[in-house]
């Protein structure tokens, strides 16, 4: 069974609270596991959530404010200490490279062969860039959909920031009834047909994949942290199965959101409604909302005024599965 879920490591914004750690999110997508925005304390939260350093295939940082990046030093040490064999690329806005290097060199340990820096730079006029895969980076497997593609768009914050989107290409699933009718035996033959697109049976007949398969829509996830409302937020969220988005302030504090270049809960929910998001995950809450039992209710009420899809007001260590695949 493939694993497709979001593991929430932390949900606080600038200041962690007794109940909320700094940011940290791991997206499991088959063989891919992306750690987004490792804030302070991420290494400990990974342990509490049962996420191993060996699980990680990429680290993606939206911007270099501390609540989104200070945990990188500990995670890099964990990769080294656990002797992770594969290379883990670290994506981040290109202007943040000095801080990334400082975090990786914050103490004495052997990490350089474990990570590969991948600054995200936008050529003149570009609004989206596709992040290249790194040699040895694991990807989705087990079907004919191909590996998921990670793209980035520039957001509008007080420092350079990017949002990320993971898209699985549309593919096909084999139809068991059609396979049986065509005489395809179970086992390795099915895998060869799925991989190669054509299979020659022992009796000489040829079976083509398109004759025994049905369309399989790809799935998508967007990750949007600190930003003002801008066109890129809507573009990242467009039609995704899962949108993980900052919701730093309630709308009654919209003046603070504007001052500090953040979204309100209402703005995030309006984006989700307009973009046709299937499941909305609200996170990155200001420390001004201190009562843990009341915070989820307030944010849920505000979001439900404008959005009627799946909704999670995230808490630390939550696990949010991707919605079932769309029907073709």
């Amino acid at each position: 069974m493939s694993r497709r879920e979001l593991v929430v490591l932390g949900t606080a914004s600038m200041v962690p609270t007794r109940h909320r750690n700094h940011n940290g999110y791991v997206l499991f997508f088959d063989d891919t596991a992306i750690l987004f925005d490792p804030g302070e304390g991420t290494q400990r939260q990974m342990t509490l959530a049962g996420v191993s350093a060996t699980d990680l295939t990429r680290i993606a940082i939206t911007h270099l404010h501390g609540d989104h990046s200070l945990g990188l030093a500990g995670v890099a040490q964990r990769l080294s200490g656990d002797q992770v064999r594969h290379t883990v690329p670290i994506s981040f806005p290109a202007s943040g490279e000095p801080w990334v290097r400082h975090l990786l060199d914050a103490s004495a340990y052997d990490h350089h062969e474990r990570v590969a820096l991948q600054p995200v730079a936008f050529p003149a006029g570009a609004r989206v860039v596709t992040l290249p895969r790194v040699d040895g980076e694991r990807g989705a497997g087990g079907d004919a959909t191909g590996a998921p593609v990670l793209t980035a768009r520039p957001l509008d914050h007080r420092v350079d920031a990017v949002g990320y989107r993971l898209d699985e290409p549309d593919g096909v699933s084999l139809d068991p009834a059609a396979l049986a009718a065509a005489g395809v035996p179970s086992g390795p033959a099915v895998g060869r047909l799925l991989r190669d697109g054509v299979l020659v049976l022992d009796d000489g007949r040829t079976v083509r994949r398109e004759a025994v398969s049905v369309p399989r829509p790809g799935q998508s996830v967007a990750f949007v942290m600190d930003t003002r409302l801008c066109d890129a937020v809507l573009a990242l969220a467009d039609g995704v199965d899962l949108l993980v988005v900052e919701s730093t302030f309630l709308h009654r504090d919209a003046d603070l959101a504007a001052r500090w270049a953040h979204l309100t809960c209402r703005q995030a929910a309006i984006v989700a409604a307009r973009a046709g998001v299937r499941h909305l995950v609200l996170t990155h809450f200001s420390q001004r909302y201190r009562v843990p039992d009341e915070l989820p209710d307030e944010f849920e009420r505000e979001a439900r005024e404008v959005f009627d899809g799946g909704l999670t007001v995230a808490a630390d260590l939550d696990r949010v599965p991707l919605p079932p695949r769309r029907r073709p």
Side-chain angles (χ1 to χ4, degrees):
M1 294 289 291
S2 62
R3 180 182 185 182
R4 296 191 176 186
E5 68 173 355
L6 176 76
V7 178
V8 180
L9 303 178
T11 56
S13 55
M14 183 177 69
V15 178
T17 71
R18 290 184 178 183
H19 304 280
R20 295 183 180 273
N21 197 74
H22 264 169
N23 286 281
Y25 313 85
V26 179
L27 174 64
F28 285 95
F29 199 96
D30 297 342
D31 293 333
T32 294
I34 305 175
L35 169 61
F36 289 98
D37 281 8
E40 186 177 353
T42 290
Q43 184 181 181
R44 179 175 182 274
Q45 296 297 98
M46 287 171 57
T47 299
L48 294 176
V51 176
S52 168
T54 58
D55 291 332
L56 302 181
T57 60
R58 177 181 289 271
I59 299 170
I61 299 173
T62 60
H63 65 292
L64 271 297
H65 277 154
D67 54 326
H68 297 260
S69 62
L70 284 176
L72 177 61
V75 172
Q77 290 192 27
R78 185 73 167 270
L79 293 171
S80 178
D82 287 2
Q83 298 183 11
V84 172
R85 295 184 179 277
H86 58 274
T87 298
V88 178
I90 305 175
S91 305
F92 53 90
S95 64
E97 185 165 352
W99 291 287
V100 171
R101 291 190 180 276
H102 290 326
L103 286 165
L104 294 176
D105 291 330
S107 64
Y109 68 102
D110 183 16
H111 70 268
H112 293 286
E113 75 278 13
R114 310 296 180 199
V115 299
L117 302 190
Q118 196 176 64
V120 180
F122 293 89
R127 296 184 180 277
V128 59
V129 296
T130 300
L131 303 186
R133 299 177 65 78
V134 171
D135 289 343
E137 184 179 357
R138 304 198 301 264
D143 58 30
T145 60
V149 176
L150 185 66
T151 58
R153 287 180 179 268
L155 297 173
D156 182 10
H157 194 42
R158 292 174 290 124
V159 298
D160 287 349
V162 299
Y164 295 98
R165 176 170 170 142
L166 188 75
D167 285 288
E168 175 190 31
D170 292 338
V172 297
S173 294
L174 298 181
D175 181 352
L179 288 172
V184 177
S186 59
V190 175
R192 293 198 302 272
L193 176 59
L194 188 61
R195 182 187 66 244
D196 301 334
V198 63
L199 178 70
V200 178
L201 301 177
D202 291 341
D203 60 9
R205 289 184 299 115
T206 298
V207 178
R208 299 192 176 278
R209 186 172 59 206
E210 57 266 26
V212 292
S213 62
V214 294
R216 185 179 183 181
Q219 292 190 301
S220 54
V221 180
F223 188 83
V224 177
M225 284 294 112
D226 301 16
T227 184
R228 298 178 178 90
L229 194 60
C230 60
D231 290 344
V233 176
L234 280 165
L236 287 162
D238 186 27
V240 295
D241 295 281
L242 189 72
L243 171 62
V244 185
V245 61
E246 70 131 317
S247 178
T248 308
F249 296 101
L250 290 165
H251 203 68
R252 65 173 183 251
D253 297 313
D255 58 332
L256 293 175
R259 181 188 309 172
W260 297 108
H262 284 291
L263 297 175
T264 68
C265 175
R266 177 182 289 275
Q267 287 174 325
I270 288 173
V271 165
R274 291 179 178 173
V277 170
R278 298 181 66 202
H279 195 103
L280 172 63
V281 179
L282 299 174
T283 186
H284 194 273
F285 305 110
S286 169
Q287 70 274 16
R288 69 188 296 109
Y289 310 113
R290 292 184 178 276
V291 183
D293 293 335
E294 293 180 4
L295 184 150
D297 292 339
E298 287 190 83
F299 278 79
E300 181 168 1
R301 281 195 297 270
E302 185 162 293
R304 283 299 183 205
E305 292 174 1
V306 294
F307 178 71
D308 61 3
L311 175 64
T312 297
V313 179
D316 289 19
L317 306 182
D318 274 355
R319 294 176 180 270
V320 184
L322 264 69
R325 193 183 298 273
R326 288 184 171 92
R327 293 177 179 267

